[in-house]
Amino acid sequence: MTTPNTRSLWFLFVPALVLAIWLAVYEFGSVPAIILPSPAEVGRTLIAAFTTGGMLTDVGWTLLRTVLGFLVGTAFGVLLGLAMGSWRSMHDTMVFSVDAIRSIPATSLFPLFMLALGLGLKAMVALIAFPACWLVTINTM
């Protein structure tokens, strides 16, 4: 049985162990540096990416797309879930379709979204809104 103190030690031990194994593999040359660079080089590159602003811009756009996708999916999901939960005939008509559609992975529909909406913000928001809509629909019902 683990106590809270030993659990917090695991949070420190496991990353340190992974870092030590990574460093050992790099130092002994088991894997070419092009495939597994040194931890110090990765750290320098990560710091450089954040300090130049390029990474922050990309993270900002990703967060924008994610939030918009969840908002759109939630809006449609709440409306559909309320309708299906309120009217028995609507529920009986739609429940099979909702169950069938929600089992489709959103990533497999990306080519369809790409053809219909292009490669811009709309397609990426739709890709996030698609699974969010079905989850919210089922929970709202």
Side-chain angles (χ1 to χ4, degrees):
M1 183 167 167
T2 61
T3 63
N5 289 338
T6 58
R7 191 175 303 139
S8 62
L9 288 176
W10 277 105
F11 284 115
L12 297 174
F13 177 72
V14 171
L17 180 65
V18 169
L19 192 60
I21 292 171
W22 179 8
L23 187 59
V25 168
Y26 174 77
E27 288 297 327
F28 290 119
S30 305
V31 179
I34 190 82
I35 294 174
L36 186 68
S38 74
E41 184 180 338
V42 171
R44 281 191 300 272
T45 304
L46 186 63
I47 289 169
F50 273 106
T51 56
T52 60
M55 180 72 86
L56 291 177
T57 303
D58 293 339
V59 168
W61 278 107
T62 300
L63 287 175
L64 174 72
R65 286 188 290 256
T66 303
V67 168
L68 285 175
F70 278 123
L71 288 175
V72 170
T74 300
F76 282 116
V78 166
L79 292 175
L80 185 59
L82 285 174
M84 289 176 68
S86 298
W87 296 295
R88 182 73 179 170
S89 59
M90 178 76 147
H91 177 272
D92 293 343
T93 304
M94 297 288 298
V95 71
F96 179 74
S97 299
V98 168
D99 278 341
I101 291 172
R102 79 178 174 95
S103 66
I104 301 171
T107 53
S108 68
L109 293 175
F110 186 66
L112 180 64
F113 289 139
M114 198 171 58
L115 285 173
L117 302 171
L119 281 175
L121 182 65
K122 289 187 286 188
M124 293 179 194
V125 168
L127 188 66
I128 296 165
F130 179 78
C133 175
W134 306 122
L135 291 173
V136 172
T137 297
I138 289 168
N139 287 300
T140 305
M141 266 194 305

